[in-house]
Amino acid sequence: MKLLTTAITTALFASASFAFADPLPSWSDTAARERIISFVDSVTDTASDDYVTPADRIAVFDNDGTLWGEQPVYFQLIYAIDAVKAKAAEDPAFLTTDALKAAAEGDIEALAEGGMDALLEVINATHSGLAVEDYQASVSEWLDTAKHPTTGLGYDEMTYQPMVELLSYLRDEDFKTYIVSGGGIHFMRVFAQRAYGIPTEQVIGTYTETSYSVVDGTPVITKEPGIAFVDDKEGKPINIDRVIGKRPIIAGGNSDGDFPMIEWTTAGEGARLGMILHHTDAEREVAYDCDSHIGRLCDGLEKGPDMGWLIIDMAKDWSAVYTAGR
Amino acid sequence: MKLLTTAITTALFASASFAFADPLPSWSDTAARERIISFVDSVTDTASDDYVTPADRIAVFDNDGTLWGEQPVYFQLIYAIDAVKAKAAEDPAFLTTDALKAAAEGDIEALAEGGMDALLEVINATHSGLAVEDYQASVSEWLDTAKHPTTGLGYDEMTYQPMVELLSYLRDEDFKTYIVSGGGIHFMRVFAQRAYGIPTEQVIGTYTETSYSVVDGTPVITKEPGIAFVDDKEGKPINIDRVIGKRPIIAGGNSDGDFPMIEWTTAGEGARLGMILHHTDAEREVAYDCDSHIGRLCDGLEKGPDMGWLIIDMAKDWSAVYTAGR
């Protein structure tokens, strides 16, 4: 009889803990967590005035600095620099310009001094002239081996555990989760499904020119020099309109490049949630905002709160940072 | 007892007819129908060598001439001409160019003589300078009242019943169905959900420039003059790569503008289905192919069969044409 009672109790307990499983275990018990959950409750409860039909539950998130790290420079730029180094090791004649030489030496300061032109040279040299599949195989190989200069982690271990939980929680509540990022679509799609559970068709971002041609009877899509669309600032709402065709009800970012996307989202009728991740955690990550050369955040901090946006304080609101477990 | 027997028989019969309901009732019992069903069976059967996981079950379809009619001219152009007429009725000074005057007179031949420049003038005059929402409200109002010049049907009654059934059948089999069309995204999204069950985020097409601005405190996305991307010919696979990021396993079209999309789709590894709708039905619709000024189809008819594409013969393979019931 005792055995039976234990079995029943265990079963009940297991079922109860399942029903009340915490959807956001890496979020501290603060107002930020409470606000997110109460927003989701309100738009998914058919009895609520704020109820939103599943087809309109669109949530968009920036990637760099919002879903994974972005310091000391965007990880995609580190990929490009590593790709220049690899090409130069094979053939030193590849280093035809000062920008490529700076990249090969890992001299990010010199590269930064060259401005956008220097950066474009490095991007063109590593992101064009090859089939999309071949580019993505190269990114995949890099992700398997490359380590971040200060954490020593693989780059895809530097995704943020609380955000991965948030994405999963939203999908469980019938949201469609999208990335809307200044990063390149072909780059992000290599890991978005595995790292975030986001399929390629929900990855929106910057893209290079591409061409379609039939080579020896085989159709191929080739990445070409030049950037066809920059998915940053006003480009974000413009691209969301182009690709999704609906105004999201949740938008999250971490820099002023995300301002128009969050502004457009939260200006819509009905319940909306805008959120800004404020990098306040010098101990576990990097503390930066208005003065940062990457992920600069001034307007969002200044105007966001008055517009009702949730400012997430990484140090205070997150009990864990990286999916790597630190 | 007899009553009970009848009730049981009725229940059994109802359940049986449900289980074996024909997914494509408006397709004649021909090889085309059989080929489509056997393809879908093969990619959805986990025991089949051709099995495809649901995440990769992407099906793309052209719109004009594939999902709805396109004669005597694209319906979106008829909308533009009607919009010019409406504007001219309000203010005759609106007709500043020969192209606009021709449009206001419904003189399609004169418009055609003006070539692409004339067409762009009409498109710019009716598809720019207003918020996306206002443009779409105007299209919606037009769809509610406008009638096709020869059939007298509303334009959204001229969707093809067999294709609507095919889209629904594919979704029941866990396909994601997309439109990939030379038509405008903002135009098509007004009716795609209602007419085809396709949500805005699965409508890919041509798009005008747009801008993002904040007007009197309200963010607005405005359609601007100029076409930013033409989703036709090579543009179709390029845009599928940009927006979906996966190669489809089914592609359907009706003109040579769809050739590269079908070519790219069917060149992929594993089971693929390319299909061309051949407008052979002068009695119920319009018979046209290689000599048509709209929806010209030469290459597809000539090379498609050798590439294994299914050529759908409207007269032979369809038992019904329009969703309007004719």
Side-chain angles (χ1 to χ4, degrees), chain A residues 263 267, chain B residues 214-219:
Chain A
E263 178 184 54
Chain B
V214 180
V215 181
D216 298 333
T218 303

Side-chain angles (χ1 to χ4, degrees), chain A residues 281-325:
Chain A
D281 198 327
E283 201 169 314
R284 293 182 299 180
E285 204 222 16
V286 184
Y288 63 98
D289 45 44
C290 199
D291 295 326
S292 178
H293 66 299
I294 291 258
R296 187 169 176 277
L297 174 67
C298 300
D299 285 0
L301 280 184
E302 194 192 316
K303 301 176 191 164
D306 283 347
M307 297 167 85
W309 301 357
L310 169 64
I311 311 294
I312 299 161
D313 180 330
M314 185 186 279
K316 199 165 114 291
D317 294 327
W318 285 5
S319 59
V321 175
Y322 297 125
T323 44

Side-chain angles (χ1 to χ4, degrees), chain A residues 186 189 200 212 242 244 263, chain B residues 189 200 212 242 244 263:
Chain A
H186 294 129
R189 284 173 178 161
T200 58
Y212 176 82
R242 279 186 188 169
I244 306 179
E263 178 184 54
Chain B
R189 283 172 179 160
T200 59
Y212 176 83
R242 279 187 188 168
I244 307 179
E263 178 183 53

Side-chain angles (χ1 to χ4, degrees), chain B residues 19-291:
Chain B
F20 298 103
D22 182 355
L24 300 174
S26 300
W27 289 71
S28 304
D29 191 14
T30 59
R33 182 181 181 286
E34 195 184 314
R35 171 120 186 248
I36 290 170
I37 290 177
S38 96
F39 177 84
V40 171
D41 284 349
S42 77
V43 297
T44 55
D45 175 3
T46 50
S48 158
D49 286 344
D50 292 330
Y51 178 73
V52 174
T53 187
D56 291 325
R57 291 184 204 157
I58 305 288
V60 294
F61 293 92
D62 169 57
N63 184 45
D64 297 301
T66 300
L67 299 183
W68 76 352
E70 63 179 350
Q71 297 284 2
V73 290
Y74 296 127
F75 297 172
Q76 188 173 352
L77 181 58
I78 302 180
Y79 162 77
I81 289 170
D82 286 351
V84 168
K85 287 179 185 168
K87 279 169 188 263
E90 271 181 35
D91 178 12
F94 173 76
L95 302 177
T96 50
T97 68
D98 288 345
L100 292 178
K101 282 173 196 158
E105 287 160 18
D107 187 346
I108 288 170
E109 266 180 50
L111 207 54
E113 273 168 30
M116 191 48 87
D117 285 350
L119 220 58
L120 262 181
E121 265 177 42
V122 172
I123 292 291
N124 281 341
T126 53
H127 286 66
S128 72
L130 75 178
V132 170
E133 284 91 339
D134 295 335
Y135 167 78
Q136 292 189 314
S138 157
V139 172
S140 182
E141 201 179 315
W142 176 80
L143 274 177
D144 283 347
T145 53
K147 300 290 177 201
H148 186 271
T150 59
T151 67
L153 294 170
Y155 291 96
D156 50 1
E157 295 178 294
M158 291 179 68
T159 50
Y160 298 134
Q161 178 64 23
M163 296 306 281
V164 170
E165 290 167 9
L166 176 56
L167 291 168
S168 172
Y169 167 50
L170 291 175
R171 287 192 296 268
D172 285 347
E173 298 290 342
D174 288 332
F175 277 79
K176 219 165 184 173
T177 54
Y178 283 85
I179 291 174
V180 178
S181 171
I185 49 173
H186 294 129
F187 182 81
M188 296 186 288
R189 283 172 179 160
V190 172
F191 57 89
Q193 178 70 54
R194 176 166 41 89
Y196 308 127
I198 294 182
T200 59
E201 64 268 32
Q202 284 157 232
V203 175
I204 296 175
T206 295
Y207 46 87
T208 61
E209 297 288 351
T210 45
S211 66
Y212 176 83
S213 58
V214 180
V215 181
D216 298 333
T218 303
V220 60
I221 294 177
T222 304
K223 286 175 78 69
E224 300 288 353
I227 293 178
F229 188 85
V230 177
D231 189 79
D232 195 29
K233 301 193 178 76
E234 288 74 16
K236 291 200 175 198
I238 285 172
N239 216 5
I240 292 170
D241 173 66
R242 279 187 188 168
V243 178
I244 307 179
K246 286 171 190 160
R247 197 191 301 223
I249 65 166
I250 294 181
N254 76 298
S255 81
D256 287 343
D258 302 313
F259 193 95
M261 169 171 86
I262 304 175
E263 178 183 53
W264 184 56
T265 297
T266 55
E269 278 176 34
R272 309 274 164 160
L273 179 60
M275 49 183 126
I276 293 268
L277 174 60
H278 189 192
H279 291 262
T280 51
D281 199 327
E283 199 169 314
R284 294 182 298 180
E285 205 221 16
V286 185
Y288 62 99
D289 45 46
C290 198
D291 294 326

Side-chain angles (χ1 to χ4, degrees), chain A residues 228-256:
Chain A
F229 188 85
V230 177
D231 189 78
D232 195 30
K233 301 192 178 77
E234 288 75 14
K236 291 200 177 201
I238 285 173
N239 216 5
I240 292 170
D241 172 65
R242 279 186 188 169
V243 178
I244 306 179
K246 287 171 187 160
R247 198 191 299 226
I249 66 166
I250 293 181
N254 76 297
S255 81
D256 288 343

Side-chain angles (χ1 to χ4, degrees), chain B residues 7-18:
Chain B
I8 290 171
T9 311
T10 307
L12 280 172
F13 187 78
S15 118
S17 76
F18 176 76

